[in-house]
Amino acid sequence: MSSDPDETGGFQPRFDSSGLITAVVSDVRDGTVLMVAHMNAEALRLTQETGIAHFWSRSRQALWRKGETSGETLKVTDILTDCDQDVLLLKAIPEGKGAACHTGRRSCFYRRVDGDALVLIDAQRLFDPGDVY
């Protein structure tokens, strides 16, 4: 079996110099990209063990379980990796009201870039973020 991460059958995640790997999260039901976050080895291990998404907060320098304050958890059904194993794709089922974004929206990608402006494409909030954060 090859040790080249592009061809190996073994999971060999390539963490960056800060010990992190980018994780893109999509809704397993329709493919909508819900959020992008980072994982360290512990967050990845906990996600694999519990089936609930865990991440590393670069701003707080802390491990966090998605939904620990909002109740908006992500039940991970599959973890995929790209060819050189430096990015993860988590396919998940949003639980709670279905909001993956801390703003209370389903997806963190609710604005479109239009030149130098941002255009709101999803104004609906599934919960009021002031209630939980």
Side-chain angles (χ1 to χ4, degrees), residues 14 22 31 36 39 49 60 64 66-68 70 75 77 86 90 94 101-102 104 111 113 121 124 127 129:
R14 292 177 49 194
T22 301
V36 176
M39 301 175 109
E49 286 179 5
R60 291 178 288 163
W64 59 285
K66 177 70 176 118
E68 64 191 350
S70 67
K75 182 178 178 184
T77 61
D86 64 354
L90 280 60
C101 184
H102 75 280
R111 299 175 291 184
V113 176
I121 58 173
Q124 180 184 12
F127 70 85

Side-chain angles (χ1 to χ4, degrees), residues 2-120:
S2 172
S3 63
D4 178 353
D6 294 347
E7 300 298 331
T8 185
F11 184 41
Q12 302 169 6
R14 292 177 49 194
F15 297 93
D16 67 15
S17 60
S18 298
L20 301 175
I21 191 167
T22 301
V24 178
V25 182
S26 70
D27 190 319
V28 71
R29 300 166 300 184
D30 65 8
T32 299
V33 176
L34 301 174
M35 61 179 286
V36 176
H38 295 86
M39 301 175 109
N40 63 6
E42 184 178 8
L44 178 57
R45 178 186 61 78
L46 286 168
T47 299
Q48 289 177 294
E49 286 179 5
T50 66
I52 302 298
H54 289 71
F55 301 103
W56 177 258
S57 170
R58 295 180 300 169
S59 60
R60 291 178 288 163
Q61 293 291 295
L63 184 71
W64 59 285
R65 178 183 48 82
K66 177 70 176 118
E68 64 191 350
T69 58
S70 67
E72 300 298 313
T73 60
L74 293 169
K75 182 178 178 184
V76 177
T77 61
D78 290 292
I79 301 174
L80 288 73
T81 189
D82 70 330
C83 55
D84 57 359
Q85 299 195 42
D86 64 354
V87 176
L88 300 175
L89 172 59
L90 280 60
K91 293 189 175 189
I93 300 169
E95 297 185 329
K97 294 178 182 169
C101 184
H102 75 280
T103 66
R105 292 178 176 88
R106 177 174 183 230
S107 170
C108 293
F109 298 92
Y110 57 90
R111 299 175 291 184
R112 184 183 75 241
V113 176
D114 186 6
D116 290 339
L118 294 177
V119 178
L120 190 65

